[in-house]
Amino acid sequence: MREKHKHVLSDRAAQFRAIQRRLLMRFKDKTPAPLANLDTLLEGTYQQLLALSEAFEETEWELERTASSVTSATKLLNLLITLSHGMMQREADILEACLSPDVLIASDEQGWEERVDVAVAHMLRTCLAKAGKDLGQVATSLLTMPTDLTKFQKHIKLLCDRLAKTGHLSLGTEADSEQTEVEAEAADDESPDSVVPVDSQVAESNSSKKEFPSMVPPLT
């Protein structure tokens, strides 16, 4: 509806400017020709512009109201999932980044549905994947306006089901970094006992020289 109003409004504005140019040419001519109802057509186009502008403003207001409702519902859904699974703050931040409550209505290229659908599909294929076969089951969505919300609703349902089974949410990079830190700490704790400081080695060498004097007789 928004795109339709913008297209029709652009056409009527171009028509209004074209009629204005023709009327100006008629008025500037030394021997003006009849207006041929151009003034009536100009008045009718002007009234259509006013009506379309009001309809476009109403559409924008409806979009803002709908965006506010979607934002509230998404925040409530994130809060319910976080409390029901006892998530930590880091897990709640990951969930909010996936199910983003930020609904942008100024962009005509990317909508909230396609952005969230791509994010949820990525989570289902990575950190919430059950097995390697999930890579083929959940395909990556393109950032195009969906014709229906069946696929989007299916992905949201799969996300809730996977979270209900696992009970936690973490990124693969975070898990790898934590495991690396644990391995590094374990390597530090397992230091070999056979390592002797350099000072101790020098001291032992000097003491051995004193205990075993040289067998070569002195020169006379």
Side-chain angles (χ1 to χ4, degrees), residues 2 6 19-20 25 50 54 111 125 130 132 145 149 176 185 190 203-204 207 219:
R2 184 185 186 186
K6 291 177 66 175
I19 297 171
Q20 280 183 327
M25 292 175 61
L50 292 179
E54 293 178 358
R125 290 187 297 109
K130 292 190 298 185
M145 185 174 294
L149 298 179
D176 295 339
E185 292 178 358
E190 295 178 358
E204 291 177 358
S207 63
L219 296 177

Side-chain angles (χ1 to χ4, degrees), residues 100-155:
S100 175
D102 298 330
V103 182
L104 302 177
I105 61 175
S107 177
D108 295 332
E109 298 179 356
Q110 296 181 4
W112 178 82
E113 293 87 351
E114 47 264 36
R115 289 189 294 108
V116 173
D117 189 28
V118 169
V120 172
H122 177 73
M123 297 293 287
L124 292 174
R125 290 187 297 109
T126 54
C127 59
L128 291 178
K130 292 190 298 185
K133 60 182 180 180
D134 290 341
L135 298 175
Q137 291 181 356
V138 183
T140 304
S141 302
L142 298 177
L143 290 177
T144 55
M145 185 174 294
T147 55
D148 56 66
L149 298 179
T150 304
K151 187 177 181 180
F152 178 68
Q153 293 174 355
K154 179 182 178 181
H155 287 173

